[in-house]
PDB file of all heavy atoms in Angstrom:
ATOM      1  N   ARG A   1       0.921  -1.135   0.026  1.00  0.00           N
ATOM      2  CA  ARG A   1       0.007   0.074   0.088  1.00  0.00           C
ATOM      3  C   ARG A   1       0.974   1.170  -0.061  1.00  0.00           C
ATOM      4  O   ARG A   1       1.153   1.864   0.961  1.00  0.00           O
ATOM      5  CB  ARG A   1      -0.934  -0.034   1.190  1.00  0.00           C
ATOM      6  CG  ARG A   1      -1.982  -1.143   1.133  1.00  0.00           C
ATOM      7  CD  ARG A   1      -2.634  -1.606   2.410  1.00  0.00           C
ATOM      8  NE  ARG A   1      -3.367  -0.572   3.066  1.00  0.00           N
ATOM      9  CZ  ARG A   1      -4.118  -0.819   4.171  1.00  0.00           C
ATOM     10  NH1 ARG A   1      -4.071  -1.978   4.674  1.00  0.00           N
ATOM     11  NH2 ARG A   1      -4.672   0.248   4.736  1.00  0.00           N
ATOM     12  N   ILE A   2       1.503   1.474  -1.179  1.00  0.00           N
ATOM     13  CA  ILE A   2       2.641   2.444  -1.281  1.00  0.00           C
ATOM     14  C   ILE A   2       2.188   3.794  -1.006  1.00  0.00           C
ATOM     15  O   ILE A   2       2.973   4.549  -0.307  1.00  0.00           O
ATOM     16  CB  ILE A   2       3.311   2.235  -2.766  1.00  0.00           C
ATOM     17  CG1 ILE A   2       3.763   0.803  -2.949  1.00  0.00           C
ATOM     18  CG2 ILE A   2       4.378   3.214  -2.901  1.00  0.00           C
ATOM     19  CD1 ILE A   2       4.822   0.305  -1.914  1.00  0.00           C
ATOM     20  N   ASP A   3       1.126   4.211  -1.374  1.00  0.00           N
ATOM     21  CA  ASP A   3       0.620   5.627  -1.175  1.00  0.00           C
ATOM     22  C   ASP A   3       0.541   5.893   0.297  1.00  0.00           C
ATOM     23  O   ASP A   3       0.892   6.968   0.806  1.00  0.00           O
ATOM     24  CB  ASP A   3      -0.639   5.970  -2.041  1.00  0.00           C
ATOM     25  CG  ASP A   3      -0.449   6.060  -3.411  1.00  0.00           C
ATOM     26  OD1 ASP A   3       0.759   6.320  -3.920  1.00  0.00           O
ATOM     27  OD2 ASP A   3      -1.372   5.925  -4.177  1.00  0.00           O
ATOM     28  N   GLU A   4      -0.074   4.900   1.019  1.00  0.00           N
ATOM     29  CA  GLU A   4      -0.194   5.133   2.544  1.00  0.00           C
ATOM     30  C   GLU A   4       1.126   5.092   3.170  1.00  0.00           C
ATOM     31  O   GLU A   4       1.429   5.803   4.124  1.00  0.00           O
ATOM     32  CB  GLU A   4      -1.196   4.059   3.006  1.00  0.00           C
ATOM     33  CG  GLU A   4      -2.522   4.181   2.512  1.00  0.00           C
ATOM     34  CD  GLU A   4      -3.472   3.054   2.767  1.00  0.00           C
ATOM     35  OE1 GLU A   4      -3.302   1.982   1.982  1.00  0.00           O
ATOM     36  OE2 GLU A   4      -4.236   2.930   3.685  1.00  0.00           O
ATOM     37  N   ALA A   5       2.007   4.303   2.733  1.00  0.00           N
ATOM     38  CA  ALA A   5       3.340   4.261   3.261  1.00  0.00           C
ATOM     39  C   ALA A   5       4.036   5.474   2.989  1.00  0.00           C
ATOM     40  O   ALA A   5       4.708   6.114   3.992  1.00  0.00           O
ATOM     41  CB  ALA A   5       4.276   3.087   2.610  1.00  0.00           C
ATOM     42  N   LEU A   6       3.948   6.088   1.842  1.00  0.00           N
ATOM     43  CA  LEU A   6       4.664   7.367   1.578  1.00  0.00           C
ATOM     44  C   LEU A   6       4.055   8.475   2.401  1.00  0.00           C
ATOM     45  O   LEU A   6       4.804   9.251   2.981  1.00  0.00           O
ATOM     46  CB  LEU A   6       4.282   7.703   0.037  1.00  0.00           C
ATOM     47  CG  LEU A   6       4.855   8.995  -0.436  1.00  0.00           C
ATOM     48  CD1 LEU A   6       6.458   9.131  -0.248  1.00  0.00           C
ATOM     49  CD2 LEU A   6       4.491   9.272  -1.904  1.00  0.00           C
ATOM     50  N   ASP A   7       2.690   8.339   2.632  1.00  0.00           N
ATOM     51  CA  ASP A   7       2.052   9.406   3.468  1.00  0.00           C
ATOM     52  C   ASP A   7       2.609   9.365   4.894  1.00  0.00           C
ATOM     53  O   ASP A   7       3.066  10.394   5.585  1.00  0.00           O
ATOM     54  CB  ASP A   7       0.535   9.200   3.496  1.00  0.00           C
ATOM     55  CG  ASP A   7      -0.191  10.211   4.322  1.00  0.00           C
ATOM     56  OD1 ASP A   7       0.186  11.505   3.994  1.00  0.00           O
ATOM     57  OD2 ASP A   7      -1.050  10.003   5.125  1.00  0.00           O
ATOM     58  N   CYS A   8       2.795   8.148   5.466  1.00  0.00           N
ATOM     59  CA  CYS A   8       3.482   7.992   6.820  1.00  0.00           C
ATOM     60  C   CYS A   8       4.809   8.598   6.819  1.00  0.00           C
ATOM     61  O   CYS A   8       5.202   9.319   7.783  1.00  0.00           O
ATOM     62  CB  CYS A   8       3.518   6.392   7.198  1.00  0.00           C
ATOM     63  SG  CYS A   8       1.929   5.732   7.574  1.00  0.00           S
ATOM     64  N   PHE A   9       5.641   8.213   5.906  1.00  0.00           N
ATOM     65  CA  PHE A   9       7.049   8.636   6.077  1.00  0.00           C
ATOM     66  C   PHE A   9       7.118  10.153   5.647  1.00  0.00           C
ATOM     67  O   PHE A   9       8.035  10.827   6.194  1.00  0.00           O
ATOM     68  CB  PHE A   9       7.871   7.896   5.046  1.00  0.00           C
ATOM     69  CG  PHE A   9       8.076   6.375   5.454  1.00  0.00           C
ATOM     70  CD1 PHE A   9       7.600   5.392   4.840  1.00  0.00           C
ATOM     71  CD2 PHE A   9       8.704   6.146   6.626  1.00  0.00           C
ATOM     72  CE1 PHE A   9       7.764   4.088   5.204  1.00  0.00           C
ATOM     73  CE2 PHE A   9       8.926   4.869   7.168  1.00  0.00           C
ATOM     74  CZ  PHE A   9       8.370   3.781   6.409  1.00  0.00           C
ATOM     75  N   LEU A  10       6.342  10.805   4.920  1.00  0.00           N
ATOM     76  CA  LEU A  10       6.326  12.285   4.749  1.00  0.00           C
ATOM     77  C   LEU A  10       5.975  12.974   5.946  1.00  0.00           C
ATOM     78  O   LEU A  10       6.623  13.932   6.243  1.00  0.00           O
ATOM     79  CB  LEU A  10       5.416  12.535   3.501  1.00  0.00           C
ATOM     80  CG  LEU A  10       5.964  12.374   2.092  1.00  0.00           C
ATOM     81  CD1 LEU A  10       4.751  12.610   1.071  1.00  0.00           C
ATOM     82  CD2 LEU A  10       7.186  13.114   1.769  1.00  0.00           C
ATOM     83  N   LYS A  11       4.975  12.377   6.758  1.00  0.00           N
ATOM     84  CA  LYS A  11       4.548  12.956   8.035  1.00  0.00           C
ATOM     85  C   LYS A  11       5.813  12.798   8.925  1.00  0.00           C
ATOM     86  O   LYS A  11       6.100  13.835   9.716  1.00  0.00           O
ATOM     87  CB  LYS A  11       3.351  12.133   8.661  1.00  0.00           C
ATOM     88  CG  LYS A  11       2.133  12.595   7.926  1.00  0.00           C
ATOM     89  CD  LYS A  11       0.876  11.782   8.671  1.00  0.00           C
ATOM     90  CE  LYS A  11      -0.341  11.992   7.883  1.00  0.00           C
ATOM     91  NZ  LYS A  11      -1.376  11.028   8.283  1.00  0.00           N
ATOM     92  N   LEU A  12       6.405  11.683   9.015  1.00  0.00           N
ATOM     93  CA  LEU A  12       7.532  11.488   9.926  1.00  0.00           C
ATOM     94  C   LEU A  12       8.631  12.520   9.499  1.00  0.00           C
ATOM     95  O   LEU A  12       9.435  13.013  10.354  1.00  0.00           O
ATOM     96  CB  LEU A  12       8.080  10.075   9.708  1.00  0.00           C
ATOM     97  CG  LEU A  12       7.698   9.058  10.786  1.00  0.00           C
ATOM     98  CD1 LEU A  12       8.348   7.742  10.374  1.00  0.00           C
ATOM     99  CD2 LEU A  12       8.180   9.464  12.076  1.00  0.00           C
ATOM    100  N   HIS A  13       8.832  12.694   8.180  1.00  0.00           N
ATOM    101  CA  HIS A  13       9.968  13.591   7.779  1.00  0.00           C
ATOM    102  C   HIS A  13       9.692  15.131   8.361  1.00  0.00           C
ATOM    103  O   HIS A  13      10.652  15.807   8.655  1.00  0.00           O
ATOM    104  CB  HIS A  13       9.969  13.663   6.329  1.00  0.00           C
ATOM    105  CG  HIS A  13      11.081  14.524   5.674  1.00  0.00           C
ATOM    106  ND1 HIS A  13      12.485  14.396   6.075  1.00  0.00           N
ATOM    107  CD2 HIS A  13      10.953  15.716   5.000  1.00  0.00           C
ATOM    108  CE1 HIS A  13      13.127  15.393   5.546  1.00  0.00           C
ATOM    109  NE2 HIS A  13      12.257  16.229   4.776  1.00  0.00           N
ATOM    110  N   ALA A  14       8.382  15.451   8.415  1.00  0.00           N
ATOM    111  CA  ALA A  14       8.012  16.695   8.920  1.00  0.00           C
ATOM    112  C   ALA A  14       8.324  16.910  10.458  1.00  0.00           C
ATOM    113  O   ALA A  14       8.855  17.868  10.870  1.00  0.00           O
ATOM    114  CB  ALA A  14       6.539  16.988   8.702  1.00  0.00           C
ATOM    115  N   ILE A  15       8.194  15.664  11.100  1.00  0.00           N
ATOM    116  CA  ILE A  15       8.572  15.649  12.531  1.00  0.00           C
ATOM    117  C   ILE A  15      10.056  15.379  12.749  1.00  0.00           C
ATOM    118  O   ILE A  15      10.788  16.117  13.619  1.00  0.00           O
ATOM    119  CB  ILE A  15       7.846  14.433  13.330  1.00  0.00           C
ATOM    120  CG1 ILE A  15       6.285  14.584  13.111  1.00  0.00           C
ATOM    121  CG2 ILE A  15       8.267  14.434  14.779  1.00  0.00           C
ATOM    122  CD1 ILE A  15       5.558  13.392  13.516  1.00  0.00           C
ATOM    123  N   LEU A  16      10.680  14.481  12.001  1.00  0.00           N
ATOM    124  CA  LEU A  16      12.183  14.284  12.160  1.00  0.00           C
ATOM    125  C   LEU A  16      12.955  14.492  10.814  1.00  0.00           C
ATOM    126  O   LEU A  16      13.128  13.517  10.099  1.00  0.00           O
ATOM    127  CB  LEU A  16      12.354  12.784  12.450  1.00  0.00           C
ATOM    128  CG  LEU A  16      11.559  12.245  13.755  1.00  0.00           C
ATOM    129  CD1 LEU A  16      11.570  10.780  13.814  1.00  0.00           C
ATOM    130  CD2 LEU A  16      12.212  12.870  14.998  1.00  0.00           C
ATOM    131  N   PRO A  17      13.130  15.795  10.537  1.00  0.00           N
ATOM    132  CA  PRO A  17      13.693  16.144   9.133  1.00  0.00           C
ATOM    133  C   PRO A  17      15.097  15.503   8.891  1.00  0.00           C
ATOM    134  O   PRO A  17      15.466  15.376   7.762  1.00  0.00           O
ATOM    135  CB  PRO A  17      13.681  17.644   9.107  1.00  0.00           C
ATOM    136  CG  PRO A  17      13.552  18.098  10.532  1.00  0.00           C
ATOM    137  CD  PRO A  17      12.910  16.906  11.333  1.00  0.00           C
ATOM    138  N   SER A  18      15.947  15.279  10.067  1.00  0.00           N
ATOM    139  CA  SER A  18      17.223  14.702   9.739  1.00  0.00           C
ATOM    140  C   SER A  18      17.330  13.227   9.921  1.00  0.00           C
ATOM    141  O   SER A  18      18.507  12.740  10.145  1.00  0.00           O
ATOM    142  CB  SER A  18      18.210  15.505  10.623  1.00  0.00           C
ATOM    143  OG  SER A  18      18.117  16.846  10.331  1.00  0.00           O
ATOM    144  N   SER A  19      16.275  12.547  10.084  1.00  0.00           N
ATOM    145  CA  SER A  19      16.290  11.077  10.397  1.00  0.00           C
ATOM    146  C   SER A  19      16.820  10.330   9.152  1.00  0.00           C
ATOM    147  O   SER A  19      16.087  10.285   8.033  1.00  0.00           O
ATOM    148  CB  SER A  19      15.003  10.568  10.852  1.00  0.00           C
ATOM    149  OG  SER A  19      14.946   9.137  10.792  1.00  0.00           O
ATOM    150  N   ALA A  20      17.936   9.625   9.266  1.00  0.00           N
ATOM    151  CA  ALA A  20      18.411   8.953   8.178  1.00  0.00           C
ATOM    152  C   ALA A  20      17.589   7.752   7.649  1.00  0.00           C
ATOM    153  O   ALA A  20      17.368   7.460   6.446  1.00  0.00           O
ATOM    154  CB  ALA A  20      19.871   8.317   8.457  1.00  0.00           C
ATOM    155  N   GLN A  21      16.939   7.115   8.746  1.00  0.00           N
ATOM    156  CA  GLN A  21      16.013   5.907   8.340  1.00  0.00           C
ATOM    157  C   GLN A  21      14.790   6.479   7.585  1.00  0.00           C
ATOM    158  O   GLN A  21      14.452   5.752   6.651  1.00  0.00           O
ATOM    159  CB  GLN A  21      15.508   5.344   9.679  1.00  0.00           C
ATOM    160  CG  GLN A  21      16.652   4.556  10.404  1.00  0.00           C
ATOM    161  CD  GLN A  21      17.208   5.343  11.472  1.00  0.00           C
ATOM    162  OE1 GLN A  21      17.322   6.630  11.291  1.00  0.00           O
ATOM    163  NE2 GLN A  21      17.714   4.684  12.467  1.00  0.00           N
ATOM    164  N   VAL A  22      14.275   7.588   7.958  1.00  0.00           N
ATOM    165  CA  VAL A  22      13.047   8.127   7.283  1.00  0.00           C
ATOM    166  C   VAL A  22      13.404   8.550   5.796  1.00  0.00           C
ATOM    167  O   VAL A  22      12.733   8.211   4.836  1.00  0.00           O
ATOM    168  CB  VAL A  22      12.498   9.289   7.889  1.00  0.00           C
ATOM    169  CG1 VAL A  22      11.421   9.956   7.263  1.00  0.00           C
ATOM    170  CG2 VAL A  22      11.969   8.748   9.375  1.00  0.00           C
ATOM    171  N   LEU A  23      14.628   9.175   5.598  1.00  0.00           N
ATOM    172  CA  LEU A  23      15.102   9.655   4.284  1.00  0.00           C
ATOM    173  C   LEU A  23      15.285   8.449   3.473  1.00  0.00           C
ATOM    174  O   LEU A  23      14.825   8.401   2.342  1.00  0.00           O
ATOM    175  CB  LEU A  23      16.344  10.508   4.354  1.00  0.00           C
ATOM    176  CG  LEU A  23      16.268  11.847   5.087  1.00  0.00           C
ATOM    177  CD1 LEU A  23      17.583  12.393   5.406  1.00  0.00           C
ATOM    178  CD2 LEU A  23      15.349  12.795   4.097  1.00  0.00           C
ATOM    179  N   TYR A  24      15.878   7.325   4.059  1.00  0.00           N
ATOM    180  CA  TYR A  24      16.049   6.160   3.144  1.00  0.00           C
ATOM    181  C   TYR A  24      14.821   5.469   2.715  1.00  0.00           C
ATOM    182  O   TYR A  24      14.575   5.094   1.643  1.00  0.00           O
ATOM    183  CB  TYR A  24      16.849   5.162   4.026  1.00  0.00           C
ATOM    184  CG  TYR A  24      17.183   3.867   3.235  1.00  0.00           C
ATOM    185  CD1 TYR A  24      18.179   3.807   2.337  1.00  0.00           C
ATOM    186  CD2 TYR A  24      16.348   2.810   3.367  1.00  0.00           C
ATOM    187  CE1 TYR A  24      18.457   2.644   1.589  1.00  0.00           C
ATOM    188  CE2 TYR A  24      16.529   1.643   2.688  1.00  0.00           C
ATOM    189  CZ  TYR A  24      17.659   1.604   1.730  1.00  0.00           C
ATOM    190  OH  TYR A  24      17.887   0.412   1.102  1.00  0.00           O
ATOM    191  N   GLN A  25      13.790   5.532   3.631  1.00  0.00           N
ATOM    192  CA  GLN A  25      12.429   4.851   3.333  1.00  0.00           C
ATOM    193  C   GLN A  25      11.883   5.655   2.236  1.00  0.00           C
ATOM    194  O   GLN A  25      11.196   5.061   1.299  1.00  0.00           O
ATOM    195  CB  GLN A  25      11.546   4.801   4.529  1.00  0.00           C
ATOM    196  CG  GLN A  25      12.002   3.660   5.578  1.00  0.00           C
ATOM    197  CD  GLN A  25      12.118   2.290   5.051  1.00  0.00           C
ATOM    198  OE1 GLN A  25      11.400   2.012   4.083  1.00  0.00           O
ATOM    199  NE2 GLN A  25      12.953   1.447   5.561  1.00  0.00           N
ATOM    200  N   LEU A  26      11.950   6.951   2.344  1.00  0.00           N
ATOM    201  CA  LEU A  26      11.267   7.846   1.271  1.00  0.00           C
ATOM    202  C   LEU A  26      12.026   7.590  -0.104  1.00  0.00           C
ATOM    203  O   LEU A  26      11.204   7.385  -1.068  1.00  0.00           O
ATOM    204  CB  LEU A  26      11.408   9.274   1.559  1.00  0.00           C
ATOM    205  CG  LEU A  26      10.495   9.834   2.777  1.00  0.00           C
ATOM    206  CD1 LEU A  26      10.879  11.057   3.326  1.00  0.00           C
ATOM    207  CD2 LEU A  26       8.987   9.885   2.121  1.00  0.00           C
ATOM    208  N   ALA A  27      13.317   7.518  -0.173  1.00  0.00           N
ATOM    209  CA  ALA A  27      13.971   7.097  -1.434  1.00  0.00           C
ATOM    210  C   ALA A  27      13.617   5.756  -1.904  1.00  0.00           C
ATOM    211  O   ALA A  27      13.352   5.559  -3.043  1.00  0.00           O
ATOM    212  CB  ALA A  27      15.487   7.148  -1.196  1.00  0.00           C
ATOM    213  N   SER A  28      13.541   4.781  -0.959  1.00  0.00           N
ATOM    214  CA  SER A  28      13.105   3.521  -1.344  1.00  0.00           C
ATOM    215  C   SER A  28      11.602   3.435  -1.971  1.00  0.00           C
ATOM    216  O   SER A  28      11.384   2.654  -2.857  1.00  0.00           O
ATOM    217  CB  SER A  28      13.112   2.635  -0.243  1.00  0.00           C
ATOM    218  OG  SER A  28      12.735   1.321  -0.474  1.00  0.00           O
ATOM    219  N   ILE A  29      10.672   4.110  -1.303  1.00  0.00           N
ATOM    220  CA  ILE A  29       9.347   4.049  -1.865  1.00  0.00           C
ATOM    221  C   ILE A  29       9.295   4.840  -3.258  1.00  0.00           C
ATOM    222  O   ILE A  29       8.629   4.371  -4.089  1.00  0.00           O
ATOM    223  CB  ILE A  29       8.501   4.968  -0.811  1.00  0.00           C
ATOM    224  CG1 ILE A  29       8.161   3.952   0.317  1.00  0.00           C
ATOM    225  CG2 ILE A  29       7.142   5.356  -1.506  1.00  0.00           C
ATOM    226  CD1 ILE A  29       7.459   4.583   1.540  1.00  0.00           C
ATOM    227  N   TYR A  30       9.939   5.991  -3.397  1.00  0.00           N
ATOM    228  CA  TYR A  30      10.012   6.546  -4.721  1.00  0.00           C
ATOM    229  C   TYR A  30      10.635   5.572  -5.756  1.00  0.00           C
ATOM    230  O   TYR A  30      10.286   5.603  -6.962  1.00  0.00           O
ATOM    231  CB  TYR A  30      10.679   7.868  -4.761  1.00  0.00           C
ATOM    232  CG  TYR A  30       9.779   8.907  -4.216  1.00  0.00           C
ATOM    233  CD1 TYR A  30       9.965   9.519  -3.032  1.00  0.00           C
ATOM    234  CD2 TYR A  30       8.569   9.415  -5.003  1.00  0.00           C
ATOM    235  CE1 TYR A  30       9.061  10.500  -2.605  1.00  0.00           C
ATOM    236  CE2 TYR A  30       7.767  10.319  -4.619  1.00  0.00           C
ATOM    237  CZ  TYR A  30       8.008  10.929  -3.462  1.00  0.00           C
ATOM    238  OH  TYR A  30       7.111  11.865  -2.992  1.00  0.00           O
ATOM    239  N   GLN A  31      11.593   4.788  -5.471  1.00  0.00           N
ATOM    240  CA  GLN A  31      12.216   3.753  -6.302  1.00  0.00           C
ATOM    241  C   GLN A  31      11.180   2.726  -6.703  1.00  0.00           C
ATOM    242  O   GLN A  31      10.970   2.406  -7.749  1.00  0.00           O
ATOM    243  CB  GLN A  31      13.403   3.061  -5.709  1.00  0.00           C
ATOM    244  CG  GLN A  31      14.576   2.899  -6.598  1.00  0.00           C
ATOM    245  CD  GLN A  31      15.798   2.334  -5.973  1.00  0.00           C
ATOM    246  OE1 GLN A  31      15.925   2.399  -4.812  1.00  0.00           O
ATOM    247  NE2 GLN A  31      16.548   1.686  -6.744  1.00  0.00           N
ATOM    248  N   VAL A  32      10.374   2.322  -5.705  1.00  0.00           N
ATOM    249  CA  VAL A  32       9.329   1.295  -6.025  1.00  0.00           C
ATOM    250  C   VAL A  32       8.209   1.892  -6.770  1.00  0.00           C
ATOM    251  O   VAL A  32       7.705   1.332  -7.725  1.00  0.00           O
ATOM    252  CB  VAL A  32       8.638   0.980  -4.618  1.00  0.00           C
ATOM    253  CG1 VAL A  32       7.375   0.057  -4.861  1.00  0.00           C
ATOM    254  CG2 VAL A  32       9.639   0.071  -3.804  1.00  0.00           C
ATOM    255  N   MET A  33       7.993   3.177  -6.715  1.00  0.00           N
ATOM    256  CA  MET A  33       7.051   3.993  -7.499  1.00  0.00           C
ATOM    257  C   MET A  33       7.624   4.236  -8.937  1.00  0.00           C
ATOM    258  O   MET A  33       6.893   4.961  -9.675  1.00  0.00           O
ATOM    259  CB  MET A  33       6.609   5.153  -6.924  1.00  0.00           C
ATOM    260  CG  MET A  33       5.770   5.025  -5.604  1.00  0.00           C
ATOM    261  SD  MET A  33       5.532   6.456  -4.539  1.00  0.00           S
ATOM    262  CE  MET A  33       4.173   7.199  -5.587  1.00  0.00           C
ATOM    263  N   GLU A  34       8.827   3.847  -9.136  1.00  0.00           N
ATOM    264  CA  GLU A  34       9.591   4.156 -10.433  1.00  0.00           C
ATOM    265  C   GLU A  34       9.586   5.645 -10.717  1.00  0.00           C
ATOM    266  O   GLU A  34       9.299   5.962 -11.814  1.00  0.00           O
ATOM    267  CB  GLU A  34       8.827   3.361 -11.600  1.00  0.00           C
ATOM    268  CG  GLU A  34       8.941   1.830 -11.337  1.00  0.00           C
ATOM    269  CD  GLU A  34       8.273   0.969 -12.461  1.00  0.00           C
ATOM    270  OE1 GLU A  34       7.753   1.609 -13.294  1.00  0.00           O
ATOM    271  OE2 GLU A  34       8.307  -0.231 -12.330  1.00  0.00           O
ATOM    272  N   ASP A  35      10.061   6.314  -9.722  1.00  0.00           N
ATOM    273  CA  ASP A  35      10.284   7.808  -9.861  1.00  0.00           C
ATOM    274  C   ASP A  35      11.700   8.002  -9.452  1.00  0.00           C
ATOM    275  O   ASP A  35      12.037   8.460  -8.285  1.00  0.00           O
ATOM    276  CB  ASP A  35       9.326   8.612  -9.092  1.00  0.00           C
ATOM    277  CG  ASP A  35       9.335  10.147  -9.341  1.00  0.00           C
ATOM    278  OD1 ASP A  35      10.495  10.450  -9.806  1.00  0.00           O
ATOM    279  OD2 ASP A  35       8.481  10.804  -8.941  1.00  0.00           O
ATOM    280  N   PRO A  36      12.677   7.695 -10.336  1.00  0.00           N
ATOM    281  CA  PRO A  36      14.073   7.751  -9.963  1.00  0.00           C
ATOM    282  C   PRO A  36      14.590   9.207  -9.618  1.00  0.00           C
ATOM    283  O   PRO A  36      15.449   9.382  -8.685  1.00  0.00           O
ATOM    284  CB  PRO A  36      14.846   7.233 -11.176  1.00  0.00           C
ATOM    285  CG  PRO A  36      13.888   7.337 -12.291  1.00  0.00           C
ATOM    286  CD  PRO A  36      12.530   7.198 -11.691  1.00  0.00           C
ATOM    287  N   ASN A  37      13.993  10.188 -10.191  1.00  0.00           N
ATOM    288  CA  ASN A  37      14.403  11.630  -9.934  1.00  0.00           C
ATOM    289  C   ASN A  37      14.131  11.892  -8.411  1.00  0.00           C
ATOM    290  O   ASN A  37      14.990  12.513  -7.658  1.00  0.00           O
ATOM    291  CB  ASN A  37      13.834  12.582 -10.737  1.00  0.00           C
ATOM    292  CG  ASN A  37      14.358  12.472 -12.163  1.00  0.00           C
ATOM    293  OD1 ASN A  37      15.425  12.147 -12.416  1.00  0.00           O
ATOM    294  ND2 ASN A  37      13.515  12.772 -13.242  1.00  0.00           N
ATOM    295  N   GLN A  38      12.953  11.559  -7.880  1.00  0.00           N
ATOM    296  CA  GLN A  38      12.614  11.793  -6.552  1.00  0.00           C
ATOM    297  C   GLN A  38      13.505  10.972  -5.614  1.00  0.00           C
ATOM    298  O   GLN A  38      13.983  11.478  -4.589  1.00  0.00           O
ATOM    299  CB  GLN A  38      10.977  11.536  -6.276  1.00  0.00           C
ATOM    300  CG  GLN A  38      10.213  12.611  -6.694  1.00  0.00           C
ATOM    301  CD  GLN A  38      10.418  13.856  -5.749  1.00  0.00           C
ATOM    302  OE1 GLN A  38      10.620  13.790  -4.637  1.00  0.00           O
ATOM    303  NE2 GLN A  38      10.278  15.012  -6.392  1.00  0.00           N
ATOM    304  N   ALA A  39      13.753   9.697  -5.977  1.00  0.00           N
ATOM    305  CA  ALA A  39      14.504   8.812  -5.290  1.00  0.00           C
ATOM    306  C   ALA A  39      15.984   9.327  -5.083  1.00  0.00           C
ATOM    307  O   ALA A  39      16.482   9.432  -3.930  1.00  0.00           O
ATOM    308  CB  ALA A  39      14.629   7.356  -5.943  1.00  0.00           C
ATOM    309  N   ILE A  40      16.517   9.854  -6.240  1.00  0.00           N
ATOM    310  CA  ILE A  40      17.860  10.527  -6.093  1.00  0.00           C
ATOM    311  C   ILE A  40      17.827  11.720  -5.178  1.00  0.00           C
ATOM    312  O   ILE A  40      18.707  11.960  -4.415  1.00  0.00           O
ATOM    313  CB  ILE A  40      18.266  11.003  -7.569  1.00  0.00           C
ATOM    314  CG1 ILE A  40      18.745   9.657  -8.299  1.00  0.00           C
ATOM    315  CG2 ILE A  40      19.373  11.877  -7.477  1.00  0.00           C
ATOM    316  CD1 ILE A  40      18.898   9.992  -9.827  1.00  0.00           C
ATOM    317  N   GLU A  41      16.773  12.716  -5.254  1.00  0.00           N
ATOM    318  CA  GLU A  41      16.685  13.740  -4.390  1.00  0.00           C
ATOM    319  C   GLU A  41      16.624  13.366  -2.862  1.00  0.00           C
ATOM    320  O   GLU A  41      17.518  13.986  -2.108  1.00  0.00           O
ATOM    321  CB  GLU A  41      15.296  14.451  -4.647  1.00  0.00           C
ATOM    322  CG  GLU A  41      15.316  15.308  -5.935  1.00  0.00           C
ATOM    323  CD  GLU A  41      16.344  16.398  -5.992  1.00  0.00           C
ATOM    324  OE1 GLU A  41      16.589  17.130  -4.939  1.00  0.00           O
ATOM    325  OE2 GLU A  41      16.945  16.532  -7.040  1.00  0.00           O
TER     326      GLU A  41
END
């Protein structure tokens, strides 16, 4: 349920902007969504 997962991690990023785990999960989700530019960001 990728959209819901993305929503969770974006909320977390707002709370913990420097969390390495959260940033990694966001990149991983964008990779699953086949959006390499966002994953790279």
Side-chain angles (χ1 to χ4, degrees):
R1 290 160 61 178
I2 300 302
D3 289 337
E4 290 164 286
L6 179 61
D7 187 46
C8 289
F9 290 118
L10 287 172
K11 283 179 187 168
L12 260 176
H13 179 61
I15 300 166
L16 305 167
S18 298
S19 167
Q21 292 94 331
V22 174
L23 292 168
Y24 180 82
Q25 289 301 333
L26 284 163
S28 172
I29 285 173
Y30 278 110
Q31 221 177 337
V32 169
M33 294 170 82
E34 296 180 359
D35 187 343
N37 292 328
Q38 278 294 323
I40 287 169
E41 285 300 313

